[in-house]
Amino acid sequence: MSSDLASKSWADKLPTKVTRLVHGLAIASLISQIGIIVTGGAVRLTKSGLGCSQWPNCVPGSMTPVPEMGIHGLIEFGNRLLTFVLLVIAIAFLVSIWNMRKSHTTLCKLGLVLLIGIPGQGVIGGITVLTSLNPWVVSLHFLLSASLVALATILVNRTRRELKHDEAPATSKAIAQVGTLVLLLASIAIIMGTIVTGTGPHAGDADAPRHMFDPRIVTPLHTGPVYLLILATIAFMVLAYRTTGNPKLRTAGWWMVVAILIQGAIGYIQHLNGLPVALVLLHMLGASMLMVAATNVWDRASLMPKSVRVEQD
């Protein structure tokens, strides 16, 4: 009896609708997912990919780095610790919407997938170490993180709409299709970018394997989808400005334009200057922001009901 009362008491204190706290936790989830991509890039670019040579231990017989591992061990171990920060945020979000689990099933499902994806990141990260930074596994690790960034972006959008009581105006089928194309092309560009990275010089360790592809071949395979993405974004902007009563489409389109311009500029500058570490790290941050912008375009353009709240059971 007492345990039931205690259970009710903590649950009664939780929100019954989306609050600033719930929305804030969604934003924190997005920021932390982007953050672990950037810090993971820093691990690779500082040649600390094998700073912890084992997994789940850092070194044989120790969960934490030993002095012999030097700064590389601290960098790699620090990145591993960030996983727990992501877990805390994901769990806190699910707890915050506990009382809405039936009325807001979409939020609940998104939060749950994000939570499950975090241990997935850790497992693939462990396989990355155990395979001595195999570039295919490294790419998979990044792509899972990019997928979680996309899900976190949708979570931010959905909680914001509930918090602000925003109606989502219905969009045309053409806009929805072009919005989907924008997200698809951005995803392909990012996927091909990981192959270019796996062919490049920044392996994470001096002895790590690399792709044996010719950079002159794989680089155009990365830039080709980018040019198609530019055309799709232009088409999206034209359709968005022909649609009245939905300015959020135009805002989403302009954010996409900004993301493409910045990411494209960084990409070309780093390529022409021999891939300096600072620019490569900015390019990884840019890839995350490109995924955010493309997901936002897709989410805004999708044919959705005028409320993100689903039918109650």
Side-chain angles (χ1 to χ4, degrees):
M1 179 69 72
S2 60
S3 62
D4 290 341
L5 291 175
S7 175
K8 290 182 180 180
S9 63
W10 73 260
D12 288 343
K13 295 178 182 178
L14 297 175
T16 56
K17 61 181 181 179
V18 174
T19 63
R20 290 184 180 276
L21 172 63
V22 174
H23 183 53
L25 287 170
I27 293 174
S29 181
L30 176 58
I31 292 173
S32 61
Q33 291 290 350
I34 294 174
I36 204 164
I37 287 178
V38 175
T39 57
V43 169
R44 180 169 58 82
L45 293 169
T46 57
K47 299 182 179 179
S48 303
L50 295 178
C52 285
S53 59
Q54 300 291 312
W55 189 89
N57 283 347
C58 180
V59 293
S62 176
M63 290 288 293
T64 59
V66 294
E68 290 76 11
M69 304 304 293
I71 187 64
H72 296 304
L74 293 175
I75 293 173
E76 164 65 5
F77 186 69
N79 187 59
R80 291 188 183 189
L81 287 179
L82 283 178
T83 300
F84 295 98
V85 176
L86 269 67
L87 280 172
V88 169
I89 294 171
I91 292 171
F93 178 81
L94 285 173
V95 171
S96 73
I97 63 169
W98 178 256
N99 287 335
M100 295 175 267
R101 61 190 184 278
K102 293 183 178 180
S103 59
H104 292 70
T105 55
T106 298
L107 297 184
C108 199
K109 289 176 182 177
L110 285 170
L112 187 59
V113 173
L114 282 169
L115 176 61
I116 295 172
I118 294 168
Q121 287 174 311
V123 170
I124 298 177
I127 297 173
T128 301
V129 172
L130 297 176
T131 57
S132 300
L133 307 182
N134 180 288
W136 292 112
V137 183
V138 172
S139 295
L140 181 62
H141 194 213
F142 174 81
L143 293 175
L144 174 58
S145 295
S147 299
L148 295 180
V149 165
L151 291 175
T153 300
I154 297 172
L155 192 65
V156 170
N157 278 359
R158 304 298 168 88
T159 54
R160 183 186 183 281
R161 288 171 189 164
E162 284 287 325
L163 180 64
K164 301 294 185 180
H165 303 291
D166 282 347
E167 295 295 337
T171 60
S172 69
K173 184 176 180 180
I175 290 178
Q177 290 174 336
V178 176
T180 300
L181 182 61
V182 166
L183 179 57
L184 177 63
L185 290 171
S187 300
I188 294 173
I190 290 172
I191 291 170
M192 296 308 301
T194 65
I195 297 178
V196 175
T197 299
T199 308
H202 301 295
D205 187 82
D207 298 323
R210 310 304 292 144
H211 293 317
M212 301 306 293
F213 303 128
D214 186 339
R216 293 171 297 179
I217 294 177
V218 295
T219 299
L221 291 177
H222 170 51
T223 56
V226 174
Y227 294 132
L228 294 177
L229 175 61
I230 292 171
L231 294 176
T233 301
I234 292 172
F236 180 84
M237 292 297 289
V238 170
L239 291 173
Y241 271 89
R242 287 182 176 179
T243 301
T244 59
N246 198 346
K248 289 184 174 63
L249 284 176
R250 302 168 194 171
T251 301
W254 280 116
W255 278 117
M256 190 68 207
V257 170
V258 170
I260 291 173
L261 290 175
I262 293 176
Q263 182 69 339
I266 295 172
Y268 273 108
I269 293 172
Q270 71 167 6
H271 177 71
L272 295 174
N273 288 275
L275 303 176
V277 168
L279 287 180
V280 173
L281 191 61
L282 280 177
H283 201 53
M284 292 190 70
L285 174 60
S288 302
M289 301 313 298
L290 186 71
M291 179 56 73
V292 171
T295 303
N296 186 47
V297 164
W298 172 81
D299 191 39
R300 298 293 187 188
S302 297
L303 295 171
M304 297 176 57
K306 291 193 174 184
S307 173
V308 297
R309 184 176 303 235
V310 298
E311 292 183 3
Q312 298 191 13
D313 293 343

